Amino acid sequence: MKIPATLLIITICTTWNACTNTHDEPTKTTADAVIAIPELPKRGAEYGDPTEYDHLLDAYDKAKIKLRTHPNDEASLLRIAEVFITDARVTGHYGPDHDAAISILDRLIAGNTKKDTKAQAYALESVIRLNQHKFAEGLKLGEEAVKLDPARAFNYGLLVDANTELGNYDEAVKQCDKMVSMRPDLRSYSRVSYQREIHGDVPGAIQALTMAVKAGVPGTEE
């Protein structure tokens, strides 16, 4: 396996409106108010399984629809960032897709968002920095994600990837062990495979990668 070379303005008027308006309206934060959702680039060619692209478009459209009425919906903002990251990985259009995702993630990180949301935003931006070969940045972002959400296996995968690329092999193995013990799935098995390969255990690497394939979901990019 190859490791990928992942606000509130208060005025007298708004306070008065909130007290007198009989309709339930979503609360906005400063971050939400300035986030403009970029358009997902159209694909000029077929990349991979068309079913995967259909899933991606469906996720993007559902999130945008939700944000029309609930612009502060953190789950939808994270989902759109994930869509752009996936599209970049599939098509190779890293520049525009990563810029779009970062514009959303930076606002979530800086905003008055829930702890879990902030952790996921740090994790996804770590994925991007690792893809950009900014491994030290990716490691720092991954560490922030782990601090906020130490129970999420995905976050430890970021530490595996970053430490491997930075040559911290012992630490990479340590974090890989944590990840696979927490969640034995495609992501963790594939990292186990790579760690075994770079340490010379080719049969063990093949075995782990076979387990990763079996743990994958048909019709998805992974």
Side-chain angles (χ1 to χ4, degrees), residues 55-109:
H55 290 323
L56 205 64
L57 289 175
D58 185 57
Y60 176 80
D61 290 340
K62 284 180 178 178
K64 280 200 74 172
I65 290 170
K66 179 74 173 181
L67 290 167
R68 287 173 190 164
T69 53
H70 297 79
N72 62 325
D73 187 76
E74 297 172 4
S76 296
L77 291 167
L78 286 170
R79 188 69 189 101
I80 285 185
E82 289 176 330
V83 166
F84 279 107
I85 292 170
T86 301
D87 189 68
R89 187 167 60 242
V90 174
T91 65
H93 300 154
Y94 291 106
D97 278 338
H98 281 171
D99 288 346
I102 288 172
S103 70
I104 296 172
L105 298 172
D106 279 350
R107 294 295 180 176
L108 288 172
I109 289 171

Side-chain angles (χ1 to χ4, degrees), residues 6 121-131 138-139 141-142 158:
T6 216
Y122 273 120
L124 290 175
E125 188 151 344
S126 175
V127 169
I128 293 173
R129 297 310 180 190
L130 292 173
N131 284 337
L139 178 59
L141 290 162
L158 302 170

Side-chain angles (χ1 to χ4, degrees), residues 7 37-38 46 60 89 145 149 151 155 164-165 180 196 203 207 218:
L7 298 156
I37 304 304
E46 186 174 306
Y60 176 80
R89 187 167 60 242
D149 189 0
N155 296 338
T164 299
E165 295 293 349
V180 74
R196 288 177 177 178
Q207 179 189 38

